[in-house]
Amino acid sequence: MTLEKPVHPAGVLRHPRAALALLSLAQLLIALDATIVFVALDAMGQQLQLDTRHLQWVISGYSVAFGGCLLLGGRCADLLGQRRMYVAAMALFGLASFAGGFAHLPWQLVAARAGQGVAAALLFPATLSMINTLYAAGAERNRALAVWSMASAGGLAAGALLGGLLTQTLGWNWVLWVLVPIAWPCALAAGRYLPAMSAVPAAQRRFDLLGCISVTVGASALVAVLVQGPQWGWGDLRTASLLLLALAALGLFWRTEARVAAPLMPLAMLRVGSLQTSMLLAMLFMSSYGVQYYFLGLYFQQVLGWSPLQAGMAFVLPTAVCTWGIRLAERGLAQHGVRTVLLRGWAAGVLGMVWIAAVLPLAGNYAWLVPGFVVMSLGQGASWTGMWVLVGQGIAPARQGVASGVAATAQQVGAALGLALLVMLAAAPLAGLEGASAETLRQANAQGLQHAQWGAAGLALLAWLVCLRMARPQALSRTDTPPVGEGRGVSV
């Protein structure tokens, strides 16, 4: 197989708008896939006879595969070329979505979701590393990241609305099939509009096979423990076995990376302050902002009795406001720097989540939720954009794919950990209510979902404290932003 030749960012983009559109469509697809499934869960459970415990694996199967393969995806992007991985990932995404729509057994649906997770793990690092490599640091990259982030917000909004509309009119199968006309055309267009590039010279392309296998097994097992532990029990033999497997595989990975000549992830990367902070923020982002669709979607349908379409429409406002927050973040990065943007974003997130938690019993009238949605979503847009700007600082171009994979792995671990913790909070009021009346169960369910919302607000507050401890200033002005690899931290 002939590897793609390395190129230099300067002047390589013959079709800059088309390239940014394709990179943004990748993030739109990932975001769309995340939210379009949430409002279809109830219908999936009824048709495939999935109880709540097993229904979680429709979400978690994706998370386990995504989180477990991200470092592998990042290194493949660095070694084999970002465009090649973009094409392969889009093709796989379309194939898994097409097959998943035909599922008539639970394991088939979960397997298709896992296939989507693997595809997303290959796609995300390739996309983000191209943005951090092809666009000059400062205003140009901030703009590209803002467009990329707005595509993500658009995917969240479209997913919520389309998920409800398709589930109610055509059936849950279409929430998977609708992704195919996005994925396969993007794979075909990439050959024309994306440059063939790899940051690693041909002589240095060595694949750390043992490191790839060990980190993929370890990360997948760890995410699976976090997802399944609450259902199996933390003292269960299966949980303990998976945890031991995760620790052994990750220990082998750590030892391998310290010894091999061309490691998958140089351990020096973990000493880069900006990457450390972005990893922690990525975990907390998914544990707070990222769980909103799951819990509020259940609240709207199971407690308030709304249809899937009504539940989907309820999320249009917050995702539209999130786009506005991204635009404000782009301006704030140029004027004040990433630390200020993150502090303001997470503060707004905390206030919005606290409001939603406080008024949730009154949410039968949607107007009560609107102030919380607006404030929280402004914060979400700013927090998301600032977090991914932070990822690329202090990392050389040859390691942008792995850096993106590291941060995204932390994001998926945070998603699984946050969901596991908050599901326990939500389930606590339902304990011992077997055989209770429907109204009693509904009220207990509402109370549990409110507890989960309070927990999300607490995690968002923790993220704000992390941002408060960041060194100041970290300005990303239009003129004085250092290029990737020359900023704060260690260039690796």
Side-chain angles (χ1 to χ4, degrees), residues 159-476:
L161 186 58
L162 274 176
L165 181 62
L166 292 173
T167 301
Q168 192 162 312
T169 57
L170 298 176
W172 65 262
N173 317 71
W174 283 92
V175 304
L176 297 174
W177 286 336
V178 75
L179 304 176
V180 178
I182 301 175
W184 285 348
C186 282
L188 293 174
R192 176 179 175 86
Y193 296 111
L194 292 180
M197 58 180 296
S198 175
V200 178
Q204 300 177 16
R205 289 174 182 161
R206 301 174 184 173
F207 202 76
D208 176 16
L209 182 60
L210 182 58
C212 288
I213 294 174
S214 59
V215 75
T216 300
V217 172
S220 299
L222 178 60
V223 174
V225 166
L226 296 175
V227 167
Q228 203 63 27
Q231 279 74 42
W232 287 345
W234 297 109
D236 188 270
L237 180 60
R238 293 168 294 180
T239 305
S241 300
L242 262 183
L243 182 58
L244 286 175
L245 175 62
L247 293 176
L250 292 175
L252 177 60
F253 170 71
W254 189 272
R255 184 175 181 180
T256 301
E257 300 311 281
R259 295 187 175 190
V260 298
L264 170 67
M265 185 190 72
L267 299 182
M269 286 182 65
L270 298 180
R271 297 198 295 270
V272 180
S274 57
L275 185 59
Q276 292 175 353
T277 302
S278 62
M279 288 171 63
L280 187 51
L281 291 180
M283 292 182 65
L284 292 170
F285 184 96
M286 293 304 295
S287 299
S288 54
Y289 290 115
V291 299
Q292 296 299 314
Y293 283 87
Y294 181 83
F295 289 109
L296 290 175
L298 290 177
Y299 187 88
F300 291 144
Q301 294 183 78
Q302 295 184 0
V303 177
L304 301 183
W306 290 5
S307 69
L309 180 57
Q310 288 175 308
M313 292 181 66
F315 290 116
V316 172
L317 173 65
T319 47
V321 175
C322 181
T323 303
W324 185 24
I326 292 167
R327 293 296 301 271
L328 294 176
E330 181 190 355
R331 299 174 188 174
L333 287 167
Q335 296 174 2
H336 307 294
V338 68
R339 180 179 184 272
T340 300
V341 168
L342 286 170
L343 279 171
R344 291 177 179 178
W346 281 104
V350 172
L351 293 175
M353 290 178 207
V354 166
W355 177 278
I356 292 171
V359 306
L360 208 57
L362 306 171
N365 184 346
Y366 185 76
W368 281 102
L369 288 173
V370 169
F373 276 159
V374 169
V375 175
M376 180 187 71
S377 299
L378 285 173
Q380 181 178 1
S383 302
W384 174 265
T385 305
M387 180 176 74
W388 293 113
V389 167
L390 196 64
V391 169
Q393 294 184 3
I395 304 296
R399 291 292 176 177
Q400 284 292 329
V402 171
S404 302
V406 168
T409 299
Q411 182 186 13
Q412 292 306 307
V413 170
L417 179 59
L419 189 60
L421 291 174
L422 297 180
V423 163
M424 285 193 293
L425 285 178
L430 293 168
L433 292 183
E434 293 80 2
S437 67
E439 179 59 24
T440 299
L441 291 173
R442 189 185 72 84
Q443 292 179 0
N445 194 16
Q447 184 181 12
L449 293 170
Q450 186 180 34
H451 290 171
Q453 190 66 35
W454 282 114
L459 292 169
L461 178 60
L462 179 58
W464 182 84
L465 294 174
V466 171
C467 297
L468 190 64
R469 293 179 59 85
M470 288 173 59
R472 67 174 93 186
Q474 290 194 28
L476 291 178

